[in-house]
Amino acid sequence: MSAPSLDAVIVGAGVVGAACAYYATRAGLSVAVVDRGPVAGGTTGAGEGNLLVSDKEPGPELELALLSTRLWRELAAALPPEDAVEYEPKGGLVLAPDETALTALRAFAAGQCAAGVEAREVDEHELAHLEPELTKGLAGGFHYPQDAQVQPARAAAALLRAARSRGALVRLGEEVTAVLTGPHGAVRGVRTPRGELHAPAVVNATGTWGGRLAALAGTRLPVLPRRGFVLVTEPLPPGLIRHKVYAADYIADVASDSAALQSSAVVEGTPAGPVLIGATRERVGFDRTLSTEALRRLAGQATALFPRLADVHAIRTYCGFRPYLPDHLPAIGPDPRVPGLHHACGHEGAGIGLAPATGLLVTAALTGDEPPVGAWPFRPERFDSRGPADDFSDPFDRPDGPPPSPGART
Amino acid sequence: MSQTPLGLVRAAPAAPYTFTFDGRILTALPGQTLAAALWAAGIMSWRTTRGGGAPRGVFCGIGVCHDCLATVNGRPNQRACLVAVQPGDVVTVQEGTGHDATR
Amino acid sequence: MTPPVDLAVVGAGPAGLAAAVRAAGLGLSVALLDAGERPGGQFHRYPAPGLRAARPEALHHGWRHFARRLRQLETGGVTYLPRHHVWTVARGDGCWLLHAVVGPDETPATVRARAVLLATGAYERQLPFPGWTLPGVVGAGGAQAMLKSGLVLPGRRVVVAGSGPLLLAVAASLAAAGARVPAVVEAADYRAYGRSLPAVLRTPAKLAEGARYGGGLLRRSTRLLTRHAVTAAHGTARVEAVTVTRLDDHWRPVPGTGRRVPCDALAVGHGLVPQLDLAVGLGCATRRTADDTHALVVDADQATTVPGIWAAGESCGIGGADLALTEGEIAADAVARTLHDVPADPRRHAALTRRRTRLRAFADAMAAAHRPGPGWADWLDDATEVCRCEEVTAGRVREAVAGYGAHDTRTVKLLTRAGMGWCQGRMCGQAVARLAGGEGAAAVESRPLSCPVPLRPLAQLPPEAEEFRA
């Protein structure tokens, strides 16, 4: 191999891998990014680009989200304008249909505010002012000014391009077939059909397929796919829907452990015009078959919030597979079971939002610097103590077969 | 003597009826699509794009490309190549998403 | 709930109509769903009754057979459902669920069926060029469709261009209806037919058809230019002229050979693309065709790779109306045999099968002859809009490829929005795939919604609470 000496090989060119490459190269590290598909070919490309703090209860994930919120604001200013990542600090609006929901939402928001979230209660009158098309008769809601949005594929591509301009080696369409280890079990690189890439560290940023890369490295990470459908409407005038708008039961759905279908639509406009309505959550392996029930619920909830959408066409729907870990927290940091292996995956539906903080954490671990937030809750070996988790079955063994290659279908 | 499409198939249409296009009174033959009636009047575009404001009309002619979108009786995004003209229809040039005017 | 029909046929073009009528004749309960106002599909588009055309056959081949099937449709026990646009076929409880939006009001409807025959036809392949978004530039098939149904012409002086056997038919129709057609510009070389001469010779009806077109055109002094392409359209409010340029063997424009041809309309198209959205949504396997599109894989009985789903006509590979009819009849017989044990008539079956083989060989020869050469993208300048819906230029697609490493249509779409608009990439897919670096066919696109569906009918779908378990 004539490749230059590398500090780390990052596997995965989704938003998390791209953010790891961005911050690692900014810290002066020499990295390669390898992906079997294109940039944003997996869950990133199916994401809505949510940068949310509003849906997170106080705890380690919220801490990560708050840091990421700040980092995304910095990135939006630092990335060249031609990258057009469509960063929009539009704010979130969480709605309570009735007094019971509003009471619960108040308690939830109070806890968040204590943890550093900005949230402000808005009454029905102000809701109408913030979202003129919103249905009448809601009990109230909370405005979360820190919630924001980026176009996820462009964001990943921009981070990757910036990393490349700082010397990162980017190898797309090249699948990692082996994680190379030395005599004492420490990683020393990866093998692809094009040859070997040698580095003392390998970062697993393969998202929903993170369990498979862990297995290649001889260890275990119980990442499961949690499917989500998104509905996309015909182009609508910018400003028709101004915030990320969702009903309060969304939060319960995100935190649910159930495999069955959950849905509470997040409705939002995009700079390009279409309104996105997403997303459902269910654990059905890597099955891409259209679920008309998912569409029924998304359309029903979106039109209940915004009656005007009833006559608007859905022109597209697609699904993605969130990388889900049993405790809903990502796995970030070095894996003590395999020296040199780092994980940066399992962000479920929050990967776009949490990517920059993840990149910083991974970079700190690679350089040996102090991490910006406590990484202990994200330690990848935390599932070992539970023994074989009851709710984990290897999705790759399911009858619907191996996951399709990213990019095979939209 | 030059042939016409109506002459070719020996059409003897029922009485034409009128509709308006941006205020102009036009006629349509019974059963004609909006696009056909506009073509018959020599009108080739009835929409402007939301990015460049460029004029568009029929392209694929079979309902696939959605280039011929028009606003009919206030309802935007009707495919002119599919929708039949009804007597008295009010058709307007559609600008942008078609929803801007009704915002 | 009423019991499911035996067979739901999607599409009332030649294949679907033949299959529906035949299946009903064999005793099956049949629903025929079609997006159009009247049966016939794109091939047998005919004027609305109010136009009172005494001789609709002047614009059609095989009108007599079609008229016979129309009568059978009226009398033969088929439940004909026009204006039903099926947007997905889903698995229900022991049957298929065909979800449709109906009519201009787009109300929801669901048809339940034990078996489904997809006869969803095709749409025209477009290869962009500078000026192709000007009003007056229309699809060749589109011009034909507008003429057949609405009895209108796009202009007085219409250049016909692109590639494929449809061009001659379109030029002949336009000329017969009174348009002046100064030129038919064909990018391929008809001499390529010579390489598959046996297949061509076995299909004398097709040759007669071609001769008829050719004769009609010659009488009207149309120039037939092979190995040429329209590489630009000019005008401001509408097309006023086109540039016709000679192509080399790879369809690269030969510098210095461009000529300006005045016209007030251009009818352009590069063959047909099978309409596969419902089938792909069901998981039916596809194959790559000789002209770089994708078609469904079907067996000798026209069964797709998904049990219970049959297909006939252009979705199984472009082949024209005669082949579509044949496949439709074979499929109907097979469904009747499968569902009701209706025994096959061996002589009839053998005759249909022979006919299918012969027509398919001819179609494949034509497809190979008209396969776009890789050099056509050279006539796209950076300012040319590739995606008509989202107004994405070739320059922006090239930038996504060079600057961000996008090497497939999905990534280009995610980064540029090319293919994300109303038509969902049906017009630009081929071009984007080419610019993204592919030599041939784009990957099979998955479009779970085969047409736009308003949110109201989606919200009104019957709940599947019981069936819907992870």
Side-chain angles (χ1 to χ4, degrees), chain A residues 83 151 154 291 311 313-314, chain C residues 106 404 414-415 453 456 468:
Chain A
D83 282 337
Q151 206 275 32
R154 291 205 65 95
S291 159
D311 292 320
H313 295 83
Chain C
E106 300 173 295
Y404 297 96
L414 287 171
L415 296 180
V453 188
R456 189 193 317 275
F468 207 82

Side-chain angles (χ1 to χ4, degrees), chain C residues 323-352:
Chain C
L323 179 56
L325 288 171
T326 309
E327 292 182 350
E329 301 229 324
I330 291 173
D333 288 352
V335 174
R337 202 166 62 242
T338 307
L339 295 187
H340 286 191
D341 282 330
V342 176
D345 172 347
R347 277 181 54 197
R348 177 187 148 83
H349 183 71
L352 284 171

Side-chain angles (χ1 to χ4, degrees), chain A residues 114-132:
Chain A
V117 171
E118 295 169 39
R120 186 174 58 85
E121 182 167 348
V122 286
D123 63 14
E124 195 191 346
H125 177 75
E126 201 183 346
L127 280 180
H129 176 71
L130 290 171
E131 285 293 348

Side-chain angles (χ1 to χ4, degrees), chain A residues 38-42 45-46 82-83 151 153-154 157-158 161 164 172 227 231 233-235 259-261 272 274 277 282-284 289-296 299-300 302-303 309-317 407-410, chain C residues 87-88 90-91 99 106 280-281 283 390 396 399 402-408 410-411 413-417 419-422 424 443-449 451-465 468-470:
Chain A
V39 60
E82 66 267 23
D83 282 337
Q151 206 275 32
R154 291 205 65 95
R161 179 148 95 160
R164 183 151 54 183
L172 302 177
R227 184 172 73 175
L231 265 177
T233 73
E234 64 185 89
L261 177 70
I277 303 164
E282 63 188 315
R283 291 213 327 257
V284 290
T289 310
L290 178 67
S291 159
T292 50
E293 176 64 11
L295 302 192
R296 185 185 73 82
T303 53
L309 292 180
D311 292 320
V312 165
H313 295 83
I315 62 171
R316 190 159 73 93
T317 183
R409 285 177 170 194
T410 311
Chain C
W87 56 267
T88 193
R91 285 179 164 80
H99 296 296
E106 300 173 295
V280 169
E390 298 300 296
R396 278 180 53 207
E399 181 204 327
Y404 297 96
H407 293 298
D408 59 287
R410 180 181 186 257
T411 309
K413 174 164 85 172
L414 287 171
L415 296 180
T416 67
R417 299 194 56 74
M420 276 202 185
W422 275 104
Q424 288 294 294
V444 182
E445 282 276 335
S446 165
R447 300 186 185 97
L449 303 178
C451 67
V453 188
L455 295 189
R456 189 193 317 275
L458 287 180
Q460 290 170 349
L461 282 166
E464 289 172 28
F468 207 82
R469 290 272 156 75

Side-chain angles (χ1 to χ4, degrees), chain C residues 157-179:
Chain C
R157 193 179 153 84
V158 189
V159 170
V160 177
S163 192
L166 181 69
L167 297 186
L168 291 174
V170 171
S173 299
L174 295 175

